[in-house]
Amino acid sequence: MNKELIQKAIRKYEEKAGKRLNPKAVLFDMDGVLYDSMRFHARAWGEVTKRHHIIASDEDFYLHEGRTGASIINVLIQRTFGREATDEEKVHLYEEKAALFNRYNDGEPMAGAADVLRKVGESGLQRLVVTGSGQKSLINKLNHTYPNCFSPEKMVTAFDVKQGKPHPEPYLMGLAKAGVQANEAIVVENAPLGVKAGVAAGIFTIAVNTGPLSDAILLQEGANLLFPSMTALAENWHSIIQK
């Protein structure tokens, strides 16, 4: 991406925020950003919803990515049956989905993610994970995949929040765990609802379009910058932080 376009996006953010962008921490989503796992989430959700005659499409699982599992189930149950999901449905359907996901997922890191994390570390910035996932198999694997990048006290997961993305709570909690203000952080997201959450928290939000949705969907949620991959973000990282 042209450096001038990057700087223009930063100036636009600063004008709206009324503060200078002064990064001290980067808050990473997990699925679709650190791991190439969304295809397996979509496959598992698709099988569960078909089995239980719940109306859903593959696109739904990308559009609703970032919500907690219980929230996704509630949205789909409301659409299909015109009522709220029961607590039992939320638990059992998510357990089914999690079992399928664990069977299919190959744990493949997202191409370029390691380079981004390395450059963030070299820039002296904190690295945090802010995910709507409750998949313990991936959360526990982070430090194996990306050694010395993340610590448990610098993670926000579905187990920590009352309101998942697109509510800003997960990213506000990430700011608190990092001990920084909104203008002192950068969000890296691949999902529309995650972008919306980062923007709602007042954070400079970078979208990486690693899935099947159009760029327009991510941009209309307010992404400050958009890259086609984590590799492209790595290639442009120094242009973002060196103003």
Side-chain angles (χ1 to χ4, degrees):
M1 179 180 289
N2 182 284
K3 185 175 181 179
E4 178 54 36
L5 292 177
I6 293 172
Q7 296 306 308
K8 182 178 180 180
I10 292 173
R11 289 194 298 271
K12 185 176 179 180
Y13 165 82
E14 291 176 334
E15 289 172 4
K16 183 177 180 180
K19 295 181 179 179
R20 179 175 172 269
L21 180 65
N22 183 29
K24 297 179 181 178
V26 183
L27 313 181
F28 291 92
D29 179 39
M30 185 172 69
D31 293 295
V33 171
L34 300 177
Y35 287 105
D36 187 13
S37 49
M38 271 308 300
R39 53 205 165 111
F40 302 116
H41 282 291
R43 180 180 176 183
W45 277 122
E47 291 188 19
V48 169
T49 52
K50 185 176 180 180
R51 183 183 302 163
H52 293 275
H53 308 289
I54 296 169
I55 298 170
S57 67
D58 284 348
E59 186 180 47
D60 284 327
F61 309 128
Y62 289 92
L63 289 172
H64 289 292
E65 180 192 351
R67 292 186 187 274
T68 62
S71 177
I72 292 173
I73 291 164
N74 198 50
V75 167
L76 298 178
I77 290 288
Q78 285 178 328
R79 175 199 295 171
T80 303
F81 304 114
R83 60 170 175 80
E84 299 288 309
T86 65
D87 289 342
E88 183 178 12
E89 285 172 325
K90 291 175 183 177
V91 171
H92 289 168
L93 291 174
Y94 190 73
E95 285 178 347
E96 284 186 38
K97 180 263 175 180
L100 289 170
F101 173 81
N102 289 333
R103 183 191 306 169
Y104 300 141
N105 180 43
D106 59 11
E108 189 70 20
M110 181 61 71
D115 288 336
V116 174
L117 290 170
R118 176 178 55 80
K119 290 187 177 185
V120 170
E122 289 172 352
S123 302
L125 309 184
Q126 297 180 65
R127 294 169 289 205
L128 292 88
V129 171
V130 179
T131 176
S133 178
Q135 297 287 166
K136 293 183 180 180
S137 60
L138 275 189
I139 295 167
N140 293 339
K141 194 173 182 179
L142 273 169
N143 281 328
H144 174 75
T145 309
Y146 303 108
N148 304 314
C149 286
F150 302 106
S151 58
E153 65 272 14
K154 296 294 178 71
M155 295 183 186
V156 179
T157 74
F159 303 110
D160 300 309
V161 299
K162 293 181 180 179
Q163 301 185 79
K165 305 169 186 176
H167 194 280
E169 182 190 10
Y171 281 114
L172 293 173
M173 188 175 291
L175 293 176
K177 289 194 172 192
V180 300
Q181 301 298 310
N183 66 305
E184 296 175 325
I186 292 173
V187 162
V188 180
E189 264 285 357
N190 72 302
L193 298 187
V195 169
K196 188 173 184 178
V199 172
I203 306 171
F204 187 84
T205 301
I206 298 173
V208 285
N209 195 357
T210 60
L213 301 178
S214 70
D215 288 351
I217 290 176
L218 293 165
L219 291 170
Q220 72 186 15
E221 296 296 354
N224 299 102
L225 285 172
L226 185 144
F227 293 96
S229 65
M230 288 293 280
T231 298
L233 174 58
E235 292 169 350
N236 287 275
W237 180 252
H238 291 302
S239 295
I240 296 169
I241 63 166
Q242 292 179 354
K243 298 182 63 179

